[in-house]
Amino acid sequence: MDDQPRVVVLTGAGISAESGISTFRDAGGLWEGHDVMEVASPEGWAKNPELVLDFYNQRRRQLREVEPNAAHRALVRLEPHYETVIITQNVDDLHERAGSSRIIHLHGELKKVRSTADPGLVYHWEGDLHLGDTCEKGSQLRPHIVWFGEDVPEMYRAAEEMARADYVLIIGTSMQVYPAAGLVAYAPRDARIWYIDPKPRINYELQMMPHVTVVEARATEGVPRVVDELIAMAGKE
Ligand code: APR
């Protein structure tokens, strides 16, 4: 299997938009009514942990009401033909539920929580999280989410995967939030890249790559199309 060509996929909020999860920077986005720094920063957590927990409890509850869409499902079809790795900025579990096998969550996961005293203590969590819910060492639990200003520990693994890509798909991300938005710079120069987004924003790193095809389309339309193209190419190799 190791000699299969390799597809690395970077997804953002746009891939889950048609499942009913709002994106961050489009009108009517997730942050509406909330200052981002209030709900997604260490400072916000220190100031009002209850508000932060409530915000993520709502996000976690919403997962029960949404389903993977045709774009999440199309990516699973790559697996018999390509070594496929998904690097997602999303904290939802829609890639998992669609059936993808290798997923790196750059910005954490709604269905995990961790100890505030020992970041190595991470737990699976389905319901609401409250003040007073503690880890086995007795410290408050917090959402397992990378907040603004925090390290992105999975960046190293993601960059390594990107460095070995033959093909790269970038789906539904505004390419504004670093370090994730800079990951494409780790791809080999000869990698072929597709960027699928109805409002693509070509950042500096993408501009520097020589083989970029921009597909100006919604994920449920553009992703199955590009996946079909990749599968047809695999058949000819
Ligand atoms: N299909 C594909 N893309 C879409 C769709 C759709 N149906 N609808 C919207 N989009 C695109 C938008 O055009 C935009 O480029 O999704 C992108 C969403 O951008 P953002 O809201 O900025 O989300 P993302 O790039 O994932 O944000 C990155 O920022 O707030 C932080 O940690 C958070 O992971 C997040 C990170």
Side-chain angles (χ1 to χ4, degrees), residues 12-15 17-18 23-26 31 89-90 107 148 172-175 177 195-199 201 217-219:
I15 196 169
E18 290 163 87
T23 61
F24 301 94
R25 287 172 187 80
D26 290 315
W31 308 106
Q89 298 168 82
N90 299 342
H107 294 163
F148 285 96
T173 170
S174 58
M175 299 291 272
V177 175
Y195 177 24
I196 305 157
D197 194 300
K199 276 193 223 152
R201 269 163 278 204
R218 288 179 292 114

Side-chain angles (χ1 to χ4, degrees), residues 1-190:
M1 293 293 265
D2 267 5
D3 51 9
Q4 274 187 320
R6 200 179 160 75
V7 178
V8 177
V9 185
L10 174 67
T11 65
I15 196 169
S16 297
E18 290 163 87
S19 292
I21 302 180
S22 308
T23 61
F24 301 94
R25 287 172 187 80
D26 290 315
L30 182 65
W31 308 106
E32 214 172 307
H34 286 287
D35 173 351
V36 178
M37 298 310 271
E38 263 176 20
V39 292
S41 73
E43 294 79 11
W45 171 248
K47 196 170 136 207
N48 193 346
E50 225 153 0
L51 175 77
V52 175
L53 290 179
D54 184 51
F55 178 78
Y56 287 102
N57 286 342
Q58 284 176 34
R59 309 274 77 77
R60 201 175 303 107
R61 281 184 211 160
Q62 186 188 29
L63 289 187
R64 291 184 219 136
E65 285 148 32
V66 298
E67 297 290 335
N69 64 46
H72 299 101
R73 290 196 301 270
L75 294 173
V76 184
R77 291 199 281 116
L78 288 168
E79 294 195 8
H81 311 277
Y82 292 92
E83 208 188 322
T84 307
V85 181
I86 295 180
I87 303 169
T88 187
Q89 298 168 82
N90 299 342
V91 294
D92 65 50
D93 61 350
L94 295 181
H95 286 302
E96 281 86 350
R97 280 158 58 194
S100 283
S101 355
R102 291 180 62 193
I103 304 159
I104 297 176
H105 279 273
L106 272 184
H107 294 163
E109 293 173 67
L110 279 172
K111 284 201 178 162
K112 289 184 180 167
V113 300
R114 70 169 182 264
S115 162
T116 46
D118 179 350
L121 293 176
V122 178
Y123 306 89
H124 182 81
W125 204 267
E126 295 273 344
D128 285 357
L129 182 64
H130 299 288
L131 284 180
D133 288 331
T134 54
C135 72
E136 66 221 50
K137 293 184 179 167
S139 293
Q140 177 64 43
L141 291 168
R142 58 161 273 180
H144 187 54
I145 302 281
V146 174
W147 287 329
F148 285 96
E150 293 190 316
D151 285 344
V152 185
E154 289 288 59
M155 240 333 254
Y156 305 99
R157 206 152 66 92
E160 266 174 33
E161 298 289 357
M162 195 56 96
R164 296 195 293 129
D166 296 297
Y167 303 100
V168 178
L169 304 188
I170 302 172
I171 305 164
T173 170
S174 58
M175 299 291 272
Q176 304 289 303
V177 175
Y178 287 80
L183 260 178
V184 69
Y186 292 87
R189 295 284 298 162
D190 58 356

